[in-house]
Amino acid sequence: MIDGIVMDDRRARRRGRLLRRHLKGIVGISILAIAVFGALLAPWLTAHSPTVADAQRRLIPPAWAGGTASHPLGTDQLGRDLLTRLLHGARISLFVGTLAVVLSAPIGVAAGLWAGYRGRLTDEVIMRVVDSQLSIPFLLLAIAIIASIGTGTGNTILVLALGGWPTYARMVRGEVLSLKEKEFIEAARAVGAADGRIVRRHLLPHVVTTTSVVASFAVAHMILLESTLSFLGLGVQPPTASWGQMLSDAKSYVSLQPWLSVFPGLAIAVTVLAINFLGDWTRDLLNPQTRHL
Amino acid sequence: MRRLLALRLTEAIVVLIGVLTITFFIARLRGDPAQLLAGPDATVADLAVLRKSLGLDRPLPDQYAAFVANAVRGQMGDSLRYRTPALPLVLERLPATALLALGAFVISVGVGVPLGIIAATRRNSVWDHTSMSLALLGQTVPAFWLGSLLILLFPLHLGLFYTSGFGTLGHLVLPAVTLGMFHTARLARLTRGGMLDVLSQDYVRTAKAKGVRAPAVVRRHALRNSLLPLISILGLEVGTLMGGSVVTETIFAWPGIGRLAVESVFARDYPVVQSVVLVASTVFVLTHLGVDLLYGLADPRIRYE
Protein backbone atom coordinates (compact mmCIF):
# COMPACT_ATOMS: atom_id res chain seq x y z
CA MET A 1 0.00 0.00 0.00
CA ILE A 2 2.70 2.45 1.10
CA ASP A 3 4.81 1.25 -1.78
CA GLY A 4 2.01 2.15 -4.19
CA ILE A 5 1.77 5.70 -2.85
CA VAL A 6 5.53 6.20 -3.12
CA MET A 7 5.46 4.90 -6.67
CA ASP A 8 2.59 7.20 -7.60
CA ASP A 9 4.37 10.14 -6.06
CA ARG A 10 7.54 9.34 -7.95
CA ARG A 11 5.71 8.90 -11.20
CA ALA A 12 3.85 12.17 -10.73
CA ARG A 13 7.10 13.96 -10.00
CA ARG A 14 8.70 12.49 -13.09
CA ARG A 15 5.72 13.52 -15.16
CA GLY A 16 6.01 17.03 -13.72
CA ARG A 17 9.68 17.15 -14.64
CA LEU A 18 9.00 15.92 -18.16
CA LEU A 19 6.24 18.48 -18.58
CA ARG A 20 8.47 21.29 -17.35
CA ARG A 21 11.27 20.21 -19.67
CA HIS A 22 9.01 20.11 -22.68
CA LEU A 23 6.64 22.93 -21.74
CA LYS A 24 8.24 25.40 -24.13
CA GLY A 25 8.06 22.87 -26.94
CA ILE A 26 4.41 22.06 -26.26
CA VAL A 27 3.35 25.70 -26.03
CA GLY A 28 5.44 26.69 -29.05
CA ILE A 29 4.20 23.88 -31.27
CA SER A 30 0.56 24.45 -30.25
CA ILE A 31 0.62 28.17 -31.01
CA LEU A 32 2.47 27.62 -34.28
CA ALA A 33 0.06 24.86 -35.29
CA ILE A 34 -2.84 27.27 -34.79
CA ALA A 35 -1.03 29.96 -36.81
CA VAL A 36 -0.15 27.56 -39.63
CA PHE A 37 -3.67 26.12 -39.84
CA GLY A 38 -5.17 29.59 -39.66
CA ALA A 39 -2.90 30.70 -42.45
CA LEU A 40 -3.51 27.68 -44.67
CA LEU A 41 -7.29 27.61 -44.17
CA ALA A 42 -7.75 31.40 -44.12
CA PRO A 43 -10.07 31.57 -47.17
CA TRP A 44 -12.35 28.89 -45.72
CA LEU A 45 -12.38 30.05 -42.10
CA THR A 46 -14.10 33.38 -42.68
CA ALA A 47 -16.74 34.56 -45.08
CA HIS A 48 -15.08 37.93 -45.73
CA SER A 49 -12.47 39.08 -48.20
CA PRO A 50 -9.18 40.41 -46.80
CA THR A 51 -8.93 43.09 -49.47
CA VAL A 52 -12.41 44.25 -50.55
CA ALA A 53 -13.41 47.48 -48.79
CA ASP A 54 -16.94 48.11 -47.52
CA ALA A 55 -17.62 51.75 -46.64
CA GLN A 56 -20.84 50.81 -44.82
CA ARG A 57 -18.97 48.72 -42.29
CA ARG A 58 -16.07 50.98 -41.34
CA LEU A 59 -14.47 50.75 -37.88
CA ILE A 60 -16.92 48.34 -36.24
CA PRO A 61 -15.58 47.48 -32.76
CA PRO A 62 -14.95 43.85 -31.68
CA ALA A 63 -17.99 41.70 -30.87
CA TRP A 64 -17.62 42.08 -27.08
CA ALA A 65 -17.27 45.85 -27.31
CA GLY A 66 -20.55 46.52 -29.05
CA GLY A 67 -19.75 45.07 -32.48
CA THR A 68 -21.48 42.32 -34.41
CA ALA A 69 -20.92 38.56 -34.35
CA SER A 70 -20.13 38.50 -38.06
CA HIS A 71 -16.97 40.56 -37.37
CA PRO A 72 -15.64 39.02 -34.14
CA LEU A 73 -12.59 41.31 -33.96
CA GLY A 74 -14.26 44.27 -35.68
CA THR A 75 -13.38 45.98 -38.96
CA ASP A 76 -10.70 48.43 -40.07
CA GLN A 77 -10.84 51.93 -41.54
CA LEU A 78 -11.92 50.54 -44.93
CA GLY A 79 -14.55 48.18 -43.54
CA ARG A 80 -12.49 45.01 -43.95
CA ASP A 81 -12.88 42.24 -41.38
CA LEU A 82 -9.95 42.34 -38.96
CA LEU A 83 -9.89 38.59 -38.22
CA THR A 84 -9.81 37.77 -41.93
CA ARG A 85 -6.93 40.17 -42.45
CA LEU A 86 -5.06 38.73 -39.47
CA LEU A 87 -5.39 35.20 -40.88
CA HIS A 88 -4.23 36.31 -44.30
CA GLY A 89 -1.44 38.27 -42.62
CA ALA A 90 -0.28 35.03 -41.00
CA ARG A 91 0.14 33.60 -44.49
CA ILE A 92 2.44 36.44 -45.50
CA SER A 93 4.44 36.43 -42.27
CA LEU A 94 5.02 32.68 -42.12
CA PHE A 95 5.67 32.42 -45.86
CA VAL A 96 8.12 35.33 -46.03
CA GLY A 97 9.86 34.38 -42.77
CA THR A 98 10.33 30.73 -43.72
CA LEU A 99 11.36 31.36 -47.29
CA ALA A 100 13.88 34.02 -46.26
CA VAL A 101 15.54 31.49 -43.96
CA VAL A 102 15.36 28.66 -46.51
CA LEU A 103 17.13 30.90 -49.02
CA SER A 104 19.72 32.49 -46.74
CA ALA A 105 20.80 29.50 -44.62
CA PRO A 106 22.21 27.35 -47.46
CA ILE A 107 24.15 30.32 -48.89
CA GLY A 108 25.59 31.11 -45.47
CA VAL A 109 26.40 27.47 -44.68
CA ALA A 110 28.10 26.98 -48.05
CA ALA A 111 30.14 30.16 -47.61
CA GLY A 112 31.09 29.19 -44.06
CA LEU A 113 32.10 25.63 -45.04
CA TRP A 114 34.14 26.88 -47.93
CA ALA A 115 35.86 29.65 -45.95
CA GLY A 116 36.62 27.41 -43.00
CA TYR A 117 37.85 24.45 -45.03
CA ARG A 118 39.91 26.23 -47.66
CA GLY A 119 41.35 28.80 -45.26
CA ARG A 120 43.92 31.34 -46.44
CA LEU A 121 42.77 33.79 -49.12
CA THR A 122 39.31 32.23 -49.62
CA ASP A 123 38.66 32.51 -45.89
CA GLU A 124 40.08 36.02 -45.75
CA VAL A 125 37.89 37.28 -48.62
CA ILE A 126 34.64 35.63 -47.48
CA MET A 127 35.05 36.71 -43.89
CA ARG A 128 35.82 40.31 -44.85
CA VAL A 129 32.61 40.38 -46.89
CA VAL A 130 30.76 38.97 -43.88
CA ASP A 131 32.34 41.55 -41.53
CA SER A 132 31.53 44.38 -43.91
CA GLN A 133 27.94 43.37 -44.39
CA LEU A 134 27.43 42.94 -40.65
CA SER A 135 28.79 46.47 -40.14
CA ILE A 136 25.82 47.89 -42.03
CA PRO A 137 22.83 48.02 -39.67
CA PHE A 138 20.41 45.41 -41.06
CA LEU A 139 17.44 47.70 -41.45
CA LEU A 140 19.50 50.33 -43.27
CA LEU A 141 20.96 47.68 -45.56
CA ALA A 142 17.42 46.50 -46.28
CA ILE A 143 16.28 50.06 -46.96
CA ALA A 144 19.16 50.66 -49.36
CA ILE A 145 18.42 47.45 -51.28
CA ILE A 146 14.70 48.25 -51.44
CA ALA A 147 15.46 51.78 -52.62
CA SER A 148 17.42 50.16 -55.43
CA ILE A 149 15.13 47.27 -56.44
CA GLY A 150 11.71 48.41 -55.25
CA THR A 151 9.11 47.12 -52.78
CA GLY A 152 6.84 44.05 -52.95
CA THR A 153 6.51 40.62 -51.38
CA GLY A 154 9.12 38.97 -53.60
CA ASN A 155 11.63 41.76 -53.07
CA THR A 156 11.05 41.62 -49.31
CA ILE A 157 12.01 37.94 -49.31
CA LEU A 158 15.06 38.71 -51.45
CA VAL A 159 16.18 41.51 -49.12
CA LEU A 160 15.82 39.34 -46.02
CA ALA A 161 17.68 36.46 -47.67
CA LEU A 162 20.50 38.75 -48.83
CA GLY A 163 20.72 40.20 -45.34
CA GLY A 164 20.55 36.92 -43.47
CA TRP A 165 23.38 34.77 -44.81
CA PRO A 166 26.45 36.25 -42.99
CA THR A 167 25.30 35.02 -39.59
CA TYR A 168 25.36 31.39 -40.76
CA ALA A 169 28.65 31.87 -42.58
CA ARG A 170 30.38 33.19 -39.47
CA MET A 171 29.00 30.45 -37.24
CA VAL A 172 29.68 27.54 -39.62
CA ARG A 173 33.20 28.77 -40.33
CA GLY A 174 33.95 28.77 -36.62
CA GLU A 175 32.78 25.19 -36.28
CA VAL A 176 34.65 24.01 -39.36
CA LEU A 177 37.89 25.51 -38.06
CA SER A 178 37.76 23.28 -34.99
CA LEU A 179 36.39 20.22 -36.83
CA LYS A 180 39.13 20.46 -39.45
CA GLU A 181 41.77 19.52 -36.87
CA LYS A 182 39.94 16.34 -35.80
CA GLU A 183 41.28 12.89 -36.68
CA PHE A 184 38.36 11.81 -38.85
CA ILE A 185 39.04 14.60 -41.31
CA GLU A 186 42.69 13.68 -41.39
CA ALA A 187 41.68 10.05 -41.93
CA ALA A 188 39.37 11.00 -44.79
CA ARG A 189 42.17 12.96 -46.35
CA ALA A 190 44.62 10.12 -45.83
CA VAL A 191 42.43 7.67 -47.76
CA GLY A 192 42.36 10.17 -50.59
CA ALA A 193 38.89 11.71 -50.32
CA ALA A 194 38.48 14.78 -52.50
CA ASP A 195 37.87 18.18 -50.87
CA GLY A 196 34.27 18.32 -52.11
CA ARG A 197 33.56 14.92 -50.60
CA ILE A 198 35.13 15.83 -47.25
CA VAL A 199 33.09 19.01 -47.03
CA ARG A 200 29.82 17.33 -48.02
CA ARG A 201 30.12 13.98 -46.29
CA HIS A 202 32.25 14.77 -43.25
CA LEU A 203 31.86 18.43 -42.37
CA LEU A 204 28.31 19.27 -43.43
CA PRO A 205 26.57 16.67 -41.20
CA HIS A 206 28.36 18.15 -38.16
CA VAL A 207 27.12 21.68 -38.71
CA VAL A 208 23.53 20.76 -39.57
CA THR A 209 22.34 20.62 -35.95
CA THR A 210 23.59 24.03 -34.85
CA THR A 211 22.50 25.53 -38.14
CA SER A 212 18.96 24.27 -37.72
CA VAL A 213 18.72 25.70 -34.20
CA VAL A 214 20.00 29.07 -35.41
CA ALA A 215 17.68 28.87 -38.42
CA SER A 216 14.61 28.29 -36.27
CA PHE A 217 15.37 31.44 -34.24
CA ALA A 218 16.04 33.22 -37.53
CA VAL A 219 12.49 32.57 -38.74
CA ALA A 220 11.21 34.62 -35.78
CA HIS A 221 13.72 37.34 -36.53
CA MET A 222 12.75 37.42 -40.21
CA ILE A 223 9.04 37.66 -39.35
CA LEU A 224 9.84 40.64 -37.14
CA LEU A 225 11.90 42.24 -39.91
CA GLU A 226 9.21 41.65 -42.51
CA SER A 227 6.59 43.29 -40.32
CA THR A 228 9.00 46.15 -39.58
CA LEU A 229 9.60 46.76 -43.27
CA SER A 230 5.88 46.52 -44.00
CA PHE A 231 5.17 48.90 -41.11
CA LEU A 232 7.55 51.41 -42.68
CA GLY A 233 5.73 50.94 -45.99
CA LEU A 234 8.81 49.33 -47.55
CA GLY A 235 7.80 45.68 -47.44
CA VAL A 236 4.61 43.90 -48.47
CA GLN A 237 2.38 46.39 -50.29
CA PRO A 238 -1.37 47.03 -49.95
CA PRO A 239 -3.91 45.62 -50.57
CA THR A 240 -2.13 42.39 -49.51
CA ALA A 241 -2.70 42.02 -45.78
CA SER A 242 0.39 41.91 -43.59
CA TRP A 243 0.60 42.47 -39.86
CA GLY A 244 3.19 45.23 -40.01
CA GLN A 245 1.25 47.20 -42.57
CA MET A 246 -2.00 46.74 -40.59
CA LEU A 247 -0.23 48.29 -37.60
CA SER A 248 0.98 51.15 -39.73
CA ASP A 249 -2.58 51.81 -40.99
CA ALA A 250 -3.84 51.69 -37.40
CA LYS A 251 -1.50 54.48 -36.25
CA SER A 252 -4.04 57.25 -36.89
CA TYR A 253 -6.76 55.33 -35.05
CA VAL A 254 -4.79 54.35 -31.97
CA SER A 255 -6.75 56.50 -29.50
CA LEU A 256 -10.32 55.81 -30.68
CA GLN A 257 -10.01 52.37 -32.31
CA PRO A 258 -7.21 50.76 -30.28
CA TRP A 259 -8.22 47.22 -31.33
CA LEU A 260 -6.80 47.93 -34.77
CA SER A 261 -3.38 48.33 -33.16
CA VAL A 262 -3.70 45.71 -30.45
CA PHE A 263 -4.53 42.57 -32.47
CA PRO A 264 -1.92 42.70 -35.26
CA GLY A 265 0.77 43.52 -32.69
CA LEU A 266 -0.38 40.64 -30.53
CA ALA A 267 -0.29 38.33 -33.55
CA ILE A 268 3.33 39.26 -34.26
CA ALA A 269 4.43 39.00 -30.64
CA VAL A 270 2.73 35.64 -30.02
CA THR A 271 4.07 34.10 -33.24
CA VAL A 272 7.59 35.30 -32.55
CA LEU A 273 7.37 34.07 -28.96
CA ALA A 274 6.15 30.64 -30.11
CA ILE A 275 9.03 30.27 -32.58
CA ASN A 276 11.52 31.35 -29.92
CA PHE A 277 10.06 28.77 -27.52
CA LEU A 278 10.44 26.12 -30.17
CA GLY A 279 14.02 27.23 -30.78
CA ASP A 280 14.83 27.14 -27.04
CA TRP A 281 13.30 23.71 -26.76
CA THR A 282 15.19 22.17 -29.68
CA ARG A 283 18.43 23.77 -28.52
CA ASP A 284 18.01 22.30 -25.04
CA LEU A 285 17.14 18.89 -26.45
CA LEU A 286 20.21 18.87 -28.66
CA ASN A 287 22.57 20.40 -26.14
CA PRO A 288 21.93 19.46 -22.51
CA GLN A 289 24.61 21.90 -21.32
CA THR A 290 22.49 24.96 -21.98
CA ARG A 291 19.54 23.61 -20.08
CA HIS A 292 20.14 25.67 -16.96
CA LEU A 293 20.18 28.98 -18.84
CA MET B 1 49.11 48.01 -27.21
CA ARG B 2 50.50 49.85 -30.20
CA ARG B 3 50.49 46.64 -32.24
CA LEU B 4 46.87 46.01 -31.26
CA LEU B 5 45.99 49.55 -32.30
CA ALA B 6 47.63 49.13 -35.71
CA LEU B 7 45.96 45.77 -36.26
CA ARG B 8 42.50 46.95 -35.31
CA LEU B 9 42.86 50.13 -37.36
CA THR B 10 43.77 48.16 -40.47
CA GLU B 11 40.82 45.85 -39.92
CA ALA B 12 38.47 48.82 -39.55
CA ILE B 13 39.72 50.34 -42.80
CA VAL B 14 39.33 47.03 -44.66
CA VAL B 15 35.76 46.69 -43.36
CA LEU B 16 34.92 50.25 -44.39
CA ILE B 17 36.19 49.56 -47.90
CA GLY B 18 34.00 46.45 -47.84
CA VAL B 19 30.99 48.55 -46.84
CA LEU B 20 31.71 50.93 -49.73
CA THR B 21 31.95 47.98 -52.10
CA ILE B 22 28.62 46.57 -50.93
CA THR B 23 26.90 49.96 -51.34
CA PHE B 24 28.45 50.27 -54.78
CA PHE B 25 26.91 46.99 -55.86
CA ILE B 26 23.54 47.61 -54.21
CA ALA B 27 23.07 50.67 -56.42
CA ARG B 28 23.75 48.44 -59.41
CA LEU B 29 21.46 45.54 -58.46
CA ARG B 30 19.18 46.48 -61.31
CA GLY B 31 21.93 47.36 -63.74
CA ASP B 32 22.11 51.08 -64.45
CA PRO B 33 22.26 53.29 -61.34
CA ALA B 34 21.74 56.49 -63.38
CA GLN B 35 17.95 56.16 -63.19
CA LEU B 36 18.22 55.67 -59.44
CA LEU B 37 20.50 58.66 -58.93
CA ALA B 38 18.67 60.99 -61.29
CA GLY B 39 15.22 60.29 -59.90
CA PRO B 40 11.94 59.47 -61.61
CA ASP B 41 11.53 62.82 -63.39
CA ALA B 42 14.78 62.66 -65.34
CA THR B 43 14.58 62.76 -69.11
CA VAL B 44 16.68 60.63 -71.44
CA ALA B 45 18.94 63.64 -72.00
CA ASP B 46 19.33 64.17 -68.23
CA LEU B 47 20.31 60.53 -67.85
CA ALA B 48 22.92 60.82 -70.58
CA VAL B 49 24.43 63.91 -68.92
CA LEU B 50 24.47 62.21 -65.52
CA ARG B 51 26.03 59.05 -66.91
CA LYS B 52 28.77 61.12 -68.48
CA SER B 53 29.43 63.25 -65.38
CA LEU B 54 29.45 60.26 -63.00
CA GLY B 55 31.47 58.20 -65.41
CA LEU B 56 28.74 55.55 -65.64
CA ASP B 57 29.58 55.08 -69.33
CA ARG B 58 33.01 53.80 -68.33
CA PRO B 59 33.89 50.18 -67.41
CA LEU B 60 32.84 48.89 -63.97
CA PRO B 61 36.34 48.90 -62.38
CA ASP B 62 36.75 52.59 -63.35
CA GLN B 63 33.35 53.37 -61.88
CA TYR B 64 34.30 51.59 -58.68
CA ALA B 65 37.58 53.49 -58.36
CA ALA B 66 35.77 56.79 -58.92
CA PHE B 67 33.07 55.88 -56.38
CA VAL B 68 35.59 55.00 -53.67
CA ALA B 69 37.72 58.08 -54.40
CA ASN B 70 34.66 60.34 -54.13
CA ALA B 71 33.38 58.64 -50.99
CA VAL B 72 36.72 59.01 -49.24
CA ARG B 73 36.56 62.73 -49.95
CA GLY B 74 33.03 62.82 -48.58
CA GLN B 75 31.40 63.41 -51.95
CA MET B 76 28.27 61.29 -52.10
CA GLY B 77 26.49 63.28 -54.77
CA ASP B 78 23.67 65.79 -54.38
CA SER B 79 20.33 65.14 -52.74
CA LEU B 80 17.63 65.07 -55.41
CA ARG B 81 15.12 66.58 -53.03
CA TYR B 82 17.15 69.41 -51.56
CA ARG B 83 19.60 69.97 -54.41
CA THR B 84 22.45 70.19 -51.93
CA PRO B 85 25.28 67.72 -51.16
CA ALA B 86 23.83 64.59 -49.53
CA LEU B 87 26.45 63.93 -46.87
CA PRO B 88 26.06 67.20 -44.90
CA LEU B 89 22.29 66.60 -44.83
CA VAL B 90 22.89 63.29 -43.09
CA LEU B 91 25.55 64.62 -40.72
CA GLU B 92 23.16 67.41 -39.69
CA ARG B 93 20.69 64.78 -38.50
CA LEU B 94 23.25 62.56 -36.80
CA PRO B 95 23.22 64.28 -33.35
CA ALA B 96 19.48 63.61 -32.94
CA THR B 97 19.99 59.90 -33.63
CA ALA B 98 23.02 59.83 -31.34
CA LEU B 99 20.95 61.39 -28.54
CA LEU B 100 18.18 58.83 -29.04
CA ALA B 101 20.68 55.95 -29.11
CA LEU B 102 22.35 57.31 -25.96
CA GLY B 103 19.00 57.46 -24.18
CA ALA B 104 18.19 53.89 -25.17
CA PHE B 105 21.68 52.79 -24.18
CA VAL B 106 21.40 54.37 -20.72
CA ILE B 107 18.03 52.68 -20.18
CA SER B 108 19.24 49.28 -21.36
CA VAL B 109 22.38 49.32 -19.19
CA GLY B 110 20.63 50.98 -16.25
CA VAL B 111 17.75 48.52 -16.21
CA GLY B 112 19.05 45.43 -18.03
CA VAL B 113 22.27 44.84 -16.08
CA PRO B 114 20.70 45.16 -12.58
CA LEU B 115 17.80 42.92 -13.65
CA GLY B 116 20.28 40.29 -14.84
CA ILE B 117 22.29 40.49 -11.60
CA ILE B 118 19.17 40.15 -9.46
CA ALA B 119 17.99 37.20 -11.54
CA ALA B 120 21.36 35.43 -11.34
CA THR B 121 21.98 35.97 -7.63
CA ARG B 122 18.46 34.86 -6.72
CA ARG B 123 18.31 32.06 -9.20
CA ASN B 124 14.96 30.26 -9.53
CA SER B 125 13.29 32.71 -7.17
CA VAL B 126 10.22 34.79 -7.98
CA TRP B 127 12.61 37.65 -8.85
CA ASP B 128 14.44 35.48 -11.35
CA HIS B 129 11.28 34.20 -13.02
CA THR B 130 9.62 37.62 -13.15
CA SER B 131 12.60 39.47 -14.59
CA MET B 132 13.32 36.72 -17.12
CA SER B 133 9.69 36.64 -18.24
CA LEU B 134 9.81 40.40 -18.65
CA ALA B 135 13.03 40.03 -20.62
CA LEU B 136 11.47 37.43 -22.89
CA LEU B 137 8.50 39.72 -23.44
CA GLY B 138 10.80 42.64 -24.20
CA GLN B 139 12.56 40.60 -26.87
CA THR B 140 9.37 39.51 -28.63
CA VAL B 141 7.32 42.72 -28.65
CA PRO B 142 8.03 44.54 -31.90
CA ALA B 143 9.32 48.08 -31.34
CA PHE B 144 6.73 49.63 -33.63
CA TRP B 145 3.94 48.05 -31.63
CA LEU B 146 5.46 49.06 -28.31
CA GLY B 147 5.71 52.61 -29.63
CA SER B 148 2.01 52.69 -30.54
CA LEU B 149 1.01 51.25 -27.16
CA LEU B 150 3.20 53.73 -25.28
CA ILE B 151 1.63 56.59 -27.23
CA LEU B 152 -1.82 55.21 -26.45
CA LEU B 153 -1.05 54.88 -22.75
CA PHE B 154 1.05 57.93 -21.87
CA PRO B 155 0.28 61.01 -23.97
CA LEU B 156 -3.27 60.05 -24.97
CA HIS B 157 -4.61 58.55 -21.74
CA LEU B 158 -2.39 59.85 -18.96
CA GLY B 159 -1.31 63.11 -20.56
CA LEU B 160 2.33 62.34 -19.89
CA PHE B 161 5.23 62.92 -22.29
CA TYR B 162 4.74 63.58 -26.01
CA THR B 163 3.50 61.68 -29.06
CA SER B 164 6.17 63.26 -31.21
CA GLY B 165 8.67 66.06 -31.36
CA PHE B 166 12.15 66.84 -30.25
CA GLY B 167 13.82 69.25 -27.87
CA THR B 168 13.33 68.56 -24.17
CA LEU B 169 14.19 65.55 -22.05
CA GLY B 170 10.46 64.77 -21.85
CA HIS B 171 10.43 64.28 -25.61
CA LEU B 172 13.22 61.74 -25.32
CA VAL B 173 11.59 59.40 -22.78
CA LEU B 174 9.12 57.42 -24.92
CA PRO B 175 11.36 57.08 -28.00
CA ALA B 176 14.29 55.98 -25.81
CA VAL B 177 12.14 53.38 -24.03
CA THR B 178 10.82 52.11 -27.37
CA LEU B 179 14.28 51.80 -28.84
CA GLY B 180 15.84 50.51 -25.63
CA MET B 181 13.31 47.80 -24.76
CA PHE B 182 14.81 45.03 -26.88
CA HIS B 183 18.34 45.78 -25.69
CA THR B 184 17.30 46.02 -22.07
CA ALA B 185 15.79 42.56 -22.36
CA ARG B 186 18.79 41.14 -24.16
CA LEU B 187 21.26 42.67 -21.69
CA ALA B 188 19.26 41.28 -18.77
CA ARG B 189 19.44 37.77 -20.22
CA LEU B 190 23.11 38.03 -21.15
CA THR B 191 24.08 39.47 -17.76
CA ARG B 192 22.24 36.67 -16.01
CA GLY B 193 23.94 34.04 -18.16
CA GLY B 194 27.37 35.58 -17.62
CA MET B 195 26.85 35.93 -13.88
CA LEU B 196 25.69 32.33 -13.54
CA ASP B 197 28.81 31.14 -15.36
CA VAL B 198 31.08 33.16 -13.10
CA LEU B 199 29.20 32.29 -9.90
CA SER B 200 29.94 28.61 -10.52
CA GLN B 201 33.69 29.26 -10.79
CA ASP B 202 36.09 27.92 -8.18
CA TYR B 203 37.32 31.35 -7.11
CA VAL B 204 33.79 32.39 -6.21
CA ARG B 205 33.42 29.27 -4.10
CA THR B 206 36.77 30.02 -2.47
CA ALA B 207 35.68 33.57 -1.68
CA LYS B 208 32.48 32.28 -0.14
CA ALA B 209 34.42 29.66 1.82
CA LYS B 210 36.72 32.36 3.18
CA GLY B 211 33.63 34.00 4.62
CA VAL B 212 33.37 36.96 2.27
CA ARG B 213 29.87 38.38 2.51
CA ALA B 214 27.53 37.64 -0.40
CA PRO B 215 27.21 41.24 -1.70
CA ALA B 216 30.99 41.58 -1.73
CA VAL B 217 31.36 38.29 -3.62
CA VAL B 218 28.93 39.52 -6.22
CA ARG B 219 30.47 42.97 -6.50
CA ARG B 220 34.17 42.19 -6.35
CA HIS B 221 34.45 38.71 -7.80
CA ALA B 222 31.45 37.88 -9.93
CA LEU B 223 30.37 41.19 -11.42
CA ARG B 224 33.79 42.34 -12.57
CA ASN B 225 34.47 39.14 -14.43
CA SER B 226 31.06 38.80 -15.96
CA LEU B 227 30.96 42.42 -17.15
CA LEU B 228 34.11 42.02 -19.22
CA PRO B 229 32.48 40.01 -22.05
CA LEU B 230 29.55 42.42 -21.91
CA ILE B 231 31.78 45.27 -23.11
CA SER B 232 32.12 43.71 -26.54
CA ILE B 233 28.38 43.06 -26.71
CA LEU B 234 27.70 46.69 -25.85
CA GLY B 235 29.84 47.66 -28.84
CA LEU B 236 27.67 45.57 -31.13
CA GLU B 237 24.54 47.09 -29.60
CA VAL B 238 25.46 50.44 -31.13
CA GLY B 239 24.89 48.98 -34.59
CA THR B 240 21.51 47.54 -33.71
CA LEU B 241 20.54 50.79 -32.00
CA MET B 242 21.35 52.67 -35.21
CA GLY B 243 19.24 50.24 -37.23
CA GLY B 244 16.43 50.23 -34.70
CA SER B 245 16.31 54.00 -34.66
CA VAL B 246 14.76 53.84 -38.14
CA VAL B 247 11.50 52.52 -36.68
CA THR B 248 11.49 54.59 -33.50
CA GLU B 249 12.25 57.82 -35.34
CA THR B 250 9.44 57.12 -37.79
CA ILE B 251 6.88 56.52 -35.02
CA PHE B 252 7.81 59.56 -32.94
CA ALA B 253 8.73 61.89 -35.83
CA TRP B 254 12.23 62.16 -34.41
CA PRO B 255 14.50 64.21 -36.71
CA GLY B 256 17.33 61.68 -36.99
CA ILE B 257 19.05 59.81 -39.81
CA GLY B 258 16.71 56.79 -39.65
CA ARG B 259 13.65 58.84 -40.49
CA LEU B 260 15.68 60.69 -43.11
CA ALA B 261 16.49 57.33 -44.73
CA VAL B 262 12.82 56.29 -44.87
CA GLU B 263 11.70 59.69 -46.18
CA SER B 264 14.41 59.56 -48.80
CA VAL B 265 13.30 56.15 -50.07
CA PHE B 266 9.80 57.53 -50.60
CA ALA B 267 11.17 60.69 -52.19
CA ARG B 268 13.38 58.51 -54.40
CA ASP B 269 16.36 60.42 -53.10
CA TYR B 270 18.91 57.65 -53.49
CA PRO B 271 22.12 59.65 -52.80
CA VAL B 272 20.78 60.44 -49.32
CA VAL B 273 19.84 56.80 -48.65
CA GLN B 274 23.35 55.79 -49.65
CA SER B 275 24.89 58.45 -47.42
CA VAL B 276 22.84 57.33 -44.42
CA VAL B 277 24.08 53.76 -44.90
CA LEU B 278 27.69 54.88 -45.11
CA VAL B 279 27.45 57.25 -42.14
CA ALA B 280 25.72 54.67 -39.92
CA SER B 281 28.20 51.95 -40.87
CA THR B 282 31.14 54.26 -40.23
CA VAL B 283 29.78 55.13 -36.80
CA PHE B 284 29.35 51.41 -36.12
CA VAL B 285 32.87 50.50 -37.25
CA LEU B 286 34.42 53.35 -35.25
CA THR B 287 32.58 52.49 -32.02
CA HIS B 288 33.49 48.88 -32.55
CA LEU B 289 37.13 49.91 -32.92
CA GLY B 290 36.89 52.01 -29.74
CA VAL B 291 35.34 49.13 -27.81
CA ASP B 292 38.01 46.71 -29.03
CA LEU B 293 40.74 49.03 -27.82
CA LEU B 294 38.98 49.60 -24.49
CA TYR B 295 38.77 45.87 -24.16
CA GLY B 296 42.50 45.65 -24.77
CA LEU B 297 43.05 48.16 -21.96
CA ALA B 298 40.67 46.38 -19.60
CA ASP B 299 41.92 42.86 -20.22
CA PRO B 300 45.70 42.42 -20.50
CA ARG B 301 45.27 38.96 -22.05
CA ILE B 302 43.91 40.50 -25.26
CA ARG B 303 47.05 42.58 -25.79
CA TYR B 304 49.30 39.57 -26.11
CA GLU B 305 47.19 37.48 -28.41
Side-chain angles (χ1 to χ4, degrees), chain B residues 236-251:
Chain B
L236 292 172
E237 294 286 277
V238 174
T240 22
L241 284 176
M242 300 279 279
S245 72
V246 173
V247 177
T248 312
E249 288 176 8
T250 306
I251 300 172

Side-chain angles (χ1 to χ4, degrees), chain A residues 128 132-133 135-136 139-140 143-144 147-149 227-228 231-232 234 247 254-255 261-262 265-266 272-273 277 292, chain B residues 14-15 18-19 22 26 29-30 36 123 136 140 142 144-145 152 156 239 243 246-247 250 265-266 270 277 280-281 284:
Chain A
R128 289 299 84 79
S132 305
Q133 190 176 323
S135 303
I136 308 175
L139 217 46
L140 287 174
I143 287 174
S148 174
I149 64 174
S227 52
T228 305
F231 176 81
L232 293 173
L234 300 171
L247 270 170
V254 71
S255 60
S261 295
V262 169
L266 213 54
V272 168
L273 190 69
F277 272 175
H292 70 279
Chain B
V14 170
V15 164
V19 169
I22 292 173
I26 288 176
L29 277 176
R30 278 218 313 210
L36 209 56
R123 205 176 139 198
L136 190 64
T140 29
F144 47 90
W145 190 42
L152 178 65
L156 298 180
V246 173
V247 177
T250 306
V265 177
F266 288 119
Y270 196 75
V277 170
S281 311
F284 175 77

